[in-house]
Amino acid sequence: MKDPIKYIRQAMINALNGNISYDGANVPVYGRVPSSASEPYIKIYSVQTNEADQNADEFITETLTRIEVVTAFDSDSGGELEVNTIVNDILVIIRTRSSGYFDLSSNDFHVYTCVNEGVTYLEDDRNDKTYFTSIIDISNRVLQV
């Protein structure tokens, strides 16, 4: 059995990179956020892979990939609207039906589900800024071909 999660994560990064903007500015997409990054930004990382179906003929896995959106404002400006808008734009691209599932055939995988497992919103008031973060969990079922 091979693990498809790195291909799922890369497909998400490729799908979002250059395609998400807010207030006329591109929102950068990272696998690992550089120390020089400024908000808003999107971070995508692998969470887990589980064997989803045990049978004698096929390997089927379910992956969970996390997409975080981070925005920040001076304590008395901005708000949650920016993170909500970016999350909406991400879900329009990522959460598709079968015609839009990631094509991983060149890596010997077939993605056959995409499920939004939930979006969590957080607010963190710090001395310098107020941070608004969303955490999107996306699961995919994948058949090794």
Side-chain angles (χ1 to χ4, degrees):
M1 181 178 91
K2 298 190 305 183
D3 186 355
I5 200 162
K6 70 179 181 179
Y7 304 114
I8 294 282
R9 184 173 48 84
Q10 189 60 57
M12 287 184 182
I13 290 171
N14 293 344
L16 297 178
N17 197 21
N19 292 313
I20 302 293
S21 62
Y22 186 82
D23 205 21
N26 185 52
V27 179
V29 180
Y30 301 110
R32 181 150 179 93
V33 180
S35 59
S36 61
S38 60
E39 302 82 12
Y41 63 81
I42 299 165
K43 178 182 176 186
I44 301 176
Y45 57 97
S46 306
V47 177
Q48 66 185 17
T49 300
N50 295 309
E51 191 167 355
D53 189 14
Q54 298 175 2
N55 64 53
D57 299 321
E58 299 174 323
F59 290 113
I60 298 173
T61 56
E62 184 167 9
T63 64
L64 184 64
T65 308
R66 188 159 287 156
I67 304 169
E68 289 188 14
V69 178
V70 178
T71 64
F73 298 92
D74 293 334
S75 293
D76 59 351
S77 70
E80 197 174 0
L81 179 60
E82 183 177 34
V83 78
N84 294 145
T85 301
I86 295 169
V87 165
N88 180 70
D89 293 347
I90 289 170
L91 290 175
V92 166
I93 293 171
I94 297 294
R95 180 59 187 100
T96 63
R97 293 295 182 214
S98 60
S99 63
Y101 292 159
F102 301 122
D103 181 4
L104 303 182
S105 58
S106 64
N107 303 109
D108 299 324
F109 292 109
H110 172 72
V111 178
Y112 67 93
T113 67
C114 180
V115 177
N116 173 0
E117 296 290 346
V119 180
T120 302
Y121 292 96
L122 306 168
E123 182 177 333
D124 185 13
D125 288 316
R126 297 186 188 169
N127 290 337
D128 61 337
K129 296 179 181 180
T130 299
Y131 291 85
F132 295 91
T133 303
S134 71
I135 301 167
I136 308 166
D137 285 331
I138 301 291
S139 68
N140 295 98
R141 286 218 172 183
V142 183
L143 171 67
Q144 182 178 322
V145 293

